Amino acid sequence: MPRPIQATIHTAALRHNLNRMRAAAPDAQAWAVVKANAYGHGIEQVYEGLRAADGFALLDLSEASRVRALGWRGPIWLLEGVFEARDLELCSRLNLWHTVHCDEQIDMLALHKTHEPHRVFLKMNSGMNRLGFTPARYRSAWTRLNALPQVDEISLVTHFSDADGSKGIAEQMAHFEEATRDLPGERSVSNSAATFRHAHSATVKADWIRPGIALYGSSPDFPEHSLADWDLQATMSLHAKIIAVQDVPVGGSVGYGSSFVAEHPTRIGVVACGYADGYPRVCPSGTPVLIEGVRSQTLGRVSMDMLTVDLTALPQAGVGSTVTLWGQSAHGAVLPIDEIAHAAGTLGYELMCAVSARVPVVTA
Ligand SMILES: *Cc1c(COP(=O)(O)O)cnc(C)c1O
């Protein structure tokens, strides 16, 4: 028998979450962002649930090839564009749309030989200072691109640093508006947080939204809003089984460093999941889990292949009981990945991307 741990990807939940994003921006088309192997879910595993999207956005050429291999003939967008000149050959061959964020990428395009001109997304650095042309340089980049025979339509793009927080997007949106006012082309500005929190605003009318995290059942602005607040569903469940039980007397400790010491007689379940599976080692004693759908907590330190949970109030649980580390239990209870991420001092993004290769993935 394989080690009893498994990640389940929920196709119906992906479909539901995509519909939620569309409802938040009903006039826009929707990219499904599937970079980082669909946020750790697996591109092949999410394809069925997200194929109603208008396009797939990602970073790696190898991931673009995998989407094409699944039979997708619609738009694919390389969100960071090409990394070297020969990447453009694959863009031509696979008909990939790509971001242009720097002069070097325009230089590469100018030297590229292609029968079909490329659809490109000209990126503005409207204040985040990662990728893109500043507002002052945007127009000259557009003019240069527009003069190239290798370039077909040019779309206008920026990315927000604070769509999920109190600073908001107004300042960046004003820079974007100001510098693109009389330029033709479709626009795309909103990730998940901006789609939920700002896409209804009259200043944020855009042709394409680019949600990622919300599709994958994590609230883009937790803890201000939870999964349930946004009516999203968990798309990844991490389940493992209890492989041993210990009755720990008062004063007995559990796990490395004896970080948990029993103050009452405590019944411990040992779960076949550890940090080598992607469960964060930094999660403190007391991090929530579901045991056969009933909420309990971890006790003591997470080790490489195991963690320990409190069974004291669950006498019916024992070896073979299923523990939901995050996601949906078979009993209908849900433990949002955001709660575990919060306990680990990080975001749902990082946890779902970090589920390790040794965890088998199934779709449901
Ligand atoms: C990753 C990414 C997104 C999706 O962001 P979420 O916060 O996951 O919705 C959108 N746009 C760009 C450019 C990205 O890199």
Side-chain angles (χ1 to χ4, degrees):
M1 182 184 166
R3 196 166 153 260
I5 182 168
Q6 192 168 72
T8 305
I9 308 304
H10 305 283
T11 301
L14 288 160
R15 221 174 265 141
H16 170 90
N17 295 344
L18 177 60
N19 286 336
R20 289 287 302 134
M21 302 318 289
R22 286 197 185 282
D27 300 329
Q29 293 192 276
W31 292 101
V33 179
V34 295
K35 64 189 178 188
N37 198 25
Y39 290 50
H41 288 56
I43 286 180
E44 290 74 15
Q45 282 74 17
V46 301
Y47 182 67
E48 189 55 38
L50 296 179
R51 64 185 299 172
D54 299 295
F56 288 97
L58 41 74
L59 305 184
D60 291 291
L61 287 166
S62 60
E63 292 188 339
S65 303
R66 283 162 61 194
V67 174
R68 285 283 180 249
L70 288 163
W72 178 255
R73 303 173 69 102
I76 297 179
W77 174 8
L78 294 179
L79 286 167
E80 292 183 353
V82 297
F83 303 105
E84 58 175 337
R86 65 172 185 190
D87 295 346
L88 289 169
E89 290 163 24
L90 207 60
C91 289
S92 293
R93 191 152 9 112
L94 296 179
N95 186 20
L96 308 181
W97 303 3
H98 50 98
T99 292
V100 171
H101 63 76
C102 64
D103 291 308
E104 291 79 357
Q105 288 178 328
I106 305 182
D107 298 340
M108 293 180 212
L109 258 173
L111 294 171
H112 178 55
K113 293 187 176 54
T114 180
H115 298 298
E116 295 290 331
H118 290 193
R119 169 88 177 245
V120 298
F121 288 75
L122 182 60
K123 182 138 185 181
M124 183 186 297
N125 166 18
S126 57
M128 191 174 191
N129 290 312
R130 291 192 318 190
L131 302 182
F133 295 91
T134 59
R137 296 211 45 237
Y138 195 75
R139 185 164 301 262
S140 64
W142 187 91
T143 304
R144 206 184 149 209
L145 264 184
N146 192 46
L148 294 181
Q150 292 89 344
V151 171
D152 178 21
E153 231 177 290
I154 305 173
S155 300
L156 316 177
V157 181
T158 197
H159 191 60
F160 299 128
S161 58
D162 289 80
D164 57 335
S166 57
K167 183 176 174 203
I169 65 166
E171 205 175 305
Q172 282 186 265
M173 199 62 215
H175 291 312
F176 184 72
E177 274 298 306
E178 166 78 24
T180 60
R181 186 160 294 139
D182 52 355
L183 289 179
E186 295 190 335
R187 283 142 205 268
S188 179
V189 297
S190 292
N191 61 359
S192 300
T195 300
F196 274 144
R197 294 169 67 101
H198 305 290
H200 54 273
S201 150
T203 58
V204 189
K205 280 286 165 268
D207 301 288
W208 295 85
I209 54 171
R210 313 189 294 269
I213 194 69
L215 299 177
Y216 302 106
S218 168
S219 167
D221 58 358
F222 187 86
E224 186 179 341
H225 295 101
S226 69
L227 203 61
D229 291 338
W230 290 123
D231 183 20
L232 295 169
Q233 295 177 2
T235 59
M236 176 197 279
S237 300
L238 182 61
H239 298 296
K241 289 196 167 162
I242 294 177
I243 58 170
V245 172
Q246 302 290 343
D247 285 302
V248 181
V250 172
S253 69
V254 176
Y256 286 118
S258 302
S259 71
F260 172 80
V261 178
E263 288 173 9
H264 323 277
T266 303
R267 193 162 170 262
I268 294 286
V270 180
V271 183
C273 177
Y275 61 77
D277 300 297
Y279 191 93
R281 183 178 175 280
V282 294
C283 278
S285 194
T287 300
V289 296
L290 301 175
I291 298 167
E292 299 291 2
V294 180
R295 217 169 154 102
S296 183
Q297 58 180 356
T298 64
L299 291 179
R301 246 178 229 168
V302 175
S303 47
M304 181 184 280
D305 310 308
M306 289 174 263
L307 56 79
T308 37
V309 296
D310 189 359
L311 301 182
T312 309
L314 299 164
Q316 74 286 7
V319 170
S321 294
T322 297
V323 178
T324 304
L325 287 318
W326 60 69
Q328 309 181 15
S329 83
H331 308 74
V334 176
L335 178 57
I337 196 170
D338 299 323
E339 288 192 38
I340 315 309
H342 196 68
T346 185
L347 303 173
Y349 294 78
E350 192 176 355
L351 265 56
M352 54 180 77
C353 289
V355 172
S356 73
R358 80 175 186 182
V359 177
V361 182
V362 299
T363 53

